């Protein structure tokens, strides 16, 4: 389909000359200079020109047996070129004007046309190849039949190991750096001499310029030869055109992720400009446009294959975690997963690596790499993600409030994502982000706006806000987790449940084991009889269960879950200053490595040589093909208000589903 280009006026006094871009139309104004006495016209073109007439059949009767048309504003002459010109002005159109008798030509007007082909192209079909002369590149559409180019934020570090992210520099850092960019090709075909009076401008709007950077390949293999031509502080670039045929390669990198003030769409343009006279400003003849969408930052749920586990080493003091590390090493080996230990010199005594960062990834048709999202909590691990994780093909992003004010809810133990779900017929093939917040209508703690805005702006994993402020620490990982399952939706949601715990303890008491105790061999030994007779604990449990049930209803509604998709994990909490803390190690706060689960050892009542809490959890989870390993984190994490999940972090395999194939 051709696009209407512009209106050209012709004159019988002198010939007119025009440049036409292949694939566009010229509308010839035959009524602007009508010679005296003329009432009709006909139009003919040379072999390289296709001429046709459009008219309003309600007002104009098409002539029979003649090519002459009445001179009327409702008749329009259209010209389309068949191929690029081989020489300047090699195509002609003649308009002949006739008088009232229609027999004699009163006058003629000549239009000389030079045709040039110009196309700005990228991988708009998302195949990994640049789609030449694509027709649907000015709009970006979602879905498997959608079209539009994808752009990565070039946020890894292929350059010097002590440097910043690659997109912090207006230069190409290395050949590997180019692989993180999107190829864009500008193709020109026309006659020699066409650029004596024309020039080609590559340009970007001032609103998009800060989000993108474009480099041009200059025929040299050296990365330093790639010229920064567009974006950042450069709004336009005059393409060097020495003759009428050329193919210019450009490499485009993203500088910013989608956010509250940026929808993620960037338009790049190539405009042909004409100089009618040296003293006059250039006027536009034609513009071609390619629209890119910046790839979102994507989270991976527990159901994705684990690739690498991160954990901190704390060697000194009563709360050192060396035994914990040994247990995690064993579990990592069972799960065939790499283990990376952050030494004390890097963690500076901060053991809560889950709270510091969240692993995700970015993806384009030709490239994908993991990206760590650094939380704004800024404690001992503050420098670790940037200094030790950012590197070749491992990106980095962060968001921090300008006033520096953050709460515990800004730690990323309060950030999770569900496996893929379908909700009331709407598919979420990449799951939905879960963040903890305060009770509706309250003015209590919330995740800082700049982080929430960033998460919402990614679009493809639309967030669900839960109620976590009832907890002392306030993180969603204290009351929920997801584990893989071979049936139903492919996973189960685990929820901490005081009701399930009290029910289990009452059953054991009824069976005659009221003297069995929690924390045998630890501090604060307490028997089942004592627990079940504690009115305050019952009151606390009722409150906590109501808070979890509130979230249960949200999760069922927003993730499309039924009760059969949820497993209640026995857990008790106690209230301290109106907020809740786990009484014994919080078992839903677990490490999920495929079918291998690293669960906080609860130190529950031992009956017949076995912890009844461990036995109950095994009965709930092992039928799903899962293996439960209970890890002692009592002194190294639990007494410090955290557990196994808080102590670890996992980089996981990306989804096989391509984000651009969904419809947000």
């Amino acid at each position: 389909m051709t696009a209407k280009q512009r209106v050209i006026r012709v004159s019988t006094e002198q010939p007119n000359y025009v440049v036409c871009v292949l694939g566009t139309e010229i509308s010839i104004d035959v009524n602007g200079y009508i010679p005296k006495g003329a009432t009709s016209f006909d139009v003919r073109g040379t072999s390289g020109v296709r001429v046709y007439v459009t008219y309003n059949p309600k007002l104009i009767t098409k002539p029979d047996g003649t090519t002459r048309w009445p001179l009327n504003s409702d008749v329009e002459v259209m010209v389309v070129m068949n191929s690029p010109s081989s020489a300047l002005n090699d195509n002609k159109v003649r308009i002949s004007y006739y008088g009232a008798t229609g027999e004699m030509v009163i006058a003629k007007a000549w239009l000389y046309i030079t045709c040039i082909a110009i196309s700005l192209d990228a991988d708009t079909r998302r195949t990994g190849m640049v789609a030449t002369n694509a027709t649907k590149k000015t709009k970006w559409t979602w879905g498997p039949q959608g079209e539009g180019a994808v752009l990565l934020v070039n946020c890894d570090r292929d350059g010097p190991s002590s440097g910043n992210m690659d997109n912090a520099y207006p230069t190409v850092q290395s050949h590997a750096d180019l692989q993180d960019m999107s190829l864009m090709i500008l193709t020109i075909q026309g006659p020699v001499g066409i650029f004596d009076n024309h020039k080609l401008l590559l340009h970007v709007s001032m609103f998009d310029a800060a989000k993108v950077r474009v480099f041009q390949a200059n025929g040299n293999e050296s990365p330093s030869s790639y010229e920064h031509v567009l974006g950042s502080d450069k709004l336009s670039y005059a393409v060097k055109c020495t003759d009428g045929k050329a193919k210019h390669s450009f490499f485009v990198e993203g500088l910013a992720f989608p956010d509250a003030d940026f929808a993620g769409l960037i338009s790049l343009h190539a405009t042909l400009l004409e100089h009618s006279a040296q003293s006059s400003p250039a006027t536009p003849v034609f513009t071609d446009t390619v629209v890119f969408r910046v790839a979102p930052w994507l989270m991976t749920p527990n159901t994705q294959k684990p690739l690498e586990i991160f954990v901190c080493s704390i060697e000194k003091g009563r709360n050192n975690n060396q035994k914990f590390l040994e247990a995690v090493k064993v579990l990592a080996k069972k799960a065939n997963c790499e283990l990376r230990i952050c030494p004390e010199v890097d963690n500076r005594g901060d053991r809560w690596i889950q709270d510091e960062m969240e692993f995700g990834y970015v993806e384009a048709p030709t490239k994908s790499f993991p990206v760590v999202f650094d939380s704004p909590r800024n404690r001992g691990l503050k420098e670790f993600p940037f200094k030790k994780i950012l590197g070749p093909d491992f990106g980095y992003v962060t968001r921090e409030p300008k006033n520096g004010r953050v709460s515990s809810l800004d730690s990323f133990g309060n950030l999770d994502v569900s496996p893929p779900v379908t909700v009331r017929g709407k598919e979420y093939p990449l799951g939905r982000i879960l963040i903890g917040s305060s009770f509706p209508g309250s003015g209590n703690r919330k995740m800082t706006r700049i982080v929430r805005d960033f998460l919402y702006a990614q679009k493809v994993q639309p967030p669900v806000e839960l109620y976590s402020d009832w907890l002392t620490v306030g993180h969603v990982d204290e009351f929920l987790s997801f584990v893989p399952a071979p049936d139903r939706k492919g996973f189960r949601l685990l929820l901490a449940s005081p009701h399930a715990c009290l029910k289990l303890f009452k059953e054991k008491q009824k069976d005659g084991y009221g003297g069995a105790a929690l924390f045998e061999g630890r501090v604060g030994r307490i028997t089942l009889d004592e627990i079940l007779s504690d009115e305050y604990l019952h009151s606390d449990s009722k409150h906590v269960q109501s808070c979890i049930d509130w979230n249960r209803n949200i999760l069922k509604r927003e993730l499309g879950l039924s009760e059969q998709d949820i497993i209640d994990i026995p857990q008790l909490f106690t209230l301290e200053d109106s907020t809740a803390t786990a009484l014994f190690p919080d078992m839903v706060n677990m490490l999920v490595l495929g079918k291998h689960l690293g669960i906080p050892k609860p130190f529950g009542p031992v009956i017949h040589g076995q912890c009844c809490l461990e036995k109950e959890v095994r009965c709930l989870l092992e039928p799903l093909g899962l293996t439960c390993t209970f890890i002692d984190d009592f002194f190294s994490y639990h007494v410090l208000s955290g557990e196994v999940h808080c102590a670890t972090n996992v980089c996981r395999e990306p989804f096989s589903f391509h984000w651009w194939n969904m419809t947000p």
Side-chain angles (χ1 to χ4, degrees), residues 9-192:
R9 295 175 175 83
V10 292
S11 170
T12 58
E13 297 178 358
Q14 60 186 13
N16 289 70
Y17 298 87
V18 67
V19 169
C20 171
V21 176
L22 188 68
T24 64
E25 295 177 333
I26 292 176
S27 173
I28 301 179
D29 180 7
V30 297
N31 296 296
Y33 294 92
I34 299 175
K36 186 176 181 179
T39 60
S40 63
F41 73 95
D42 73 4
V43 57
R44 299 179 185 275
T46 52
S47 60
V49 181
R50 182 166 67 91
V51 180
Y52 62 97
V53 175
T54 65
Y55 64 99
N56 186 340
K58 294 181 180 180
L59 302 176
I60 303 295
T61 302
K62 184 178 180 180
D64 287 329
T66 177
T67 58
R68 295 171 196 171
W69 292 84
L71 286 164
N72 188 293
S73 58
D74 291 306
V75 176
E76 189 174 13
V77 176
M78 307 300 297
V79 172
V80 178
M81 303 302 297
N82 297 325
S83 60
S85 295
S86 56
L88 292 174
N89 307 316
D90 61 350
N91 294 283
K92 295 190 287 279
V93 173
R94 184 194 69 196
I95 296 96
S96 301
Y97 291 94
Y98 296 86
T101 63
E103 295 181 1
M104 294 199 52
V105 176
I106 295 177
K108 296 178 181 179
W110 290 90
L111 179 65
Y112 289 83
I113 304 174
T114 302
C115 182
I116 181 173
I118 298 172
S119 187
L120 186 65
D121 296 300
D123 180 15
T124 53
R125 293 173 188 154
R126 306 164 194 166
T127 63
M129 303 290 290
V130 172
T132 305
N133 294 308
T135 57
K136 298 178 182 178
K137 54 188 177 182
T138 60
K139 290 185 178 180
W140 205 97
T141 52
W142 295 89
Q145 305 305 316
E147 294 195 37
V150 174
L151 187 63
L152 293 178
V153 177
N154 192 9
C155 60
D156 67 340
R157 183 168 59 200
D158 293 313
S161 60
S162 59
N164 206 331
M165 293 173 286
D166 290 339
N167 64 11
Y169 307 101
T171 56
V172 174
Q173 297 296 293
S174 64
H175 290 293
D177 192 17
L178 287 172
Q179 303 305 310
D180 301 333
M181 303 184 194
S182 294
L183 178 62
M184 182 175 69
I185 296 177
L186 177 61
T187 307
I188 308 161
Q189 186 177 354
V192 174

Side-chain angles (χ1 to χ4, degrees), residues 190-202:
V192 174
I194 186 67
F195 289 108
D196 291 348
N197 296 312
H198 293 79
K199 71 176 180 178
L200 202 54
L201 204 67
L202 197 68

Side-chain angles (χ1 to χ4, degrees), residues 262-322:
F262 175 44
L265 293 173
I266 293 171
S267 297
L268 299 178
H269 315 275
T271 293
L272 181 67
L273 296 169
E274 181 179 55
H275 285 278
S276 57
Q278 291 297 323
S279 59
S280 302
T283 55
V285 173
F286 167 81
T287 295
D288 203 11
T289 298
V290 170
V291 176
F292 290 85
R293 179 175 286 278
V294 176
W297 178 76
L298 299 166
M299 289 180 66
T300 50
N302 283 354
T303 47
Q304 291 300 109
K305 180 183 177 182
L307 300 176
E308 189 172 17
I309 309 167
F310 291 76
V311 62
C312 293
S313 175
I314 306 293
E315 298 181 10
K316 301 174 183 176
R318 179 173 180 266
N319 300 117
N320 75 80
N321 71 344
Q322 298 310 293

Side-chain angles (χ1 to χ4, degrees), residues 534-590:
D534 188 332
E535 293 181 5
Y536 291 106
L537 185 59
H538 277 274
S539 176
D540 292 353
S541 297
K542 185 177 180 180
H543 169 74
V544 168
Q545 188 65 61
S546 69
C547 294
I548 294 173
D549 286 345
W550 177 280
N551 290 302
R552 186 189 203 94
N553 292 331
I554 295 173
L555 290 161
K556 287 171 67 176
R557 181 178 69 247
E558 299 298 334
L559 301 184
L561 305 181
S562 69
E563 284 298 320
Q564 288 72 38
D565 299 313
I566 302 172
I567 296 176
D568 291 310
I569 301 298
Q571 189 65 48
L572 291 180
F573 296 82
T574 58
L575 293 183
E576 300 171 10
D577 297 326
S578 300
T579 58
T581 303
L583 174 63
F584 54 83
D586 188 351
M587 292 185 288
V588 296
N589 192 278
M590 64 177 66

Side-chain angles (χ1 to χ4, degrees), residues 609-625:
Q610 186 177 11
C611 170
C612 68
L613 288 170
E614 291 185 23
K615 181 179 179 181
E616 180 70 8
V617 169
R618 290 187 193 276
C619 290
L620 291 169
L621 300 181
E622 288 183 350
L624 299 174

Side-chain angles (χ1 to χ4, degrees), residues 465-518:
E465 295 201 35
L466 301 173
Y467 172 37
S468 65
D469 193 40
W470 57 274
L471 289 152
T472 302
V473 176
H475 296 173
V476 294
D477 68 355
E478 296 177 76
F479 65 88
L480 68 81
S481 185
F482 295 93
V483 294
D487 58 358
R488 296 189 62 80
K489 295 178 173 64
F491 68 89
R492 294 290 191 276
L493 167 64
L494 309 185
L495 289 178
S497 175
H499 175 77
C501 189
L502 291 175
K503 180 182 177 183
L504 175 66
F505 286 176
K506 287 176 183 177
E507 289 174 356
K508 300 306 175 186
Q509 184 189 52
K510 186 177 179 180
D511 291 339
Y513 301 107
L518 279 167

Side-chain angles (χ1 to χ4, degrees), residues 220-282:
N220 190 316
E221 290 296 321
S222 170
S224 61
S225 70
Y226 287 79
E227 181 185 359
H228 171 210
V229 298
L230 203 66
S232 194
D233 58 342
K234 299 177 185 289
L235 297 182
S236 64
Y237 169 70
V239 181
K240 299 176 178 66
C241 300
T242 55
D243 57 37
K245 294 182 180 180
K247 181 177 283 190
H248 299 268
S249 294
F250 299 91
F251 291 84
V252 188
E253 69 174 351
L255 305 183
F257 280 97
D259 217 324
D261 59 350
F262 175 44
L265 293 173
I266 293 171
S267 297
L268 299 178
H269 315 275
T271 293
L272 181 67
L273 296 169
E274 181 179 55
H275 285 278
S276 57
Q278 291 297 323
S279 59
S280 302

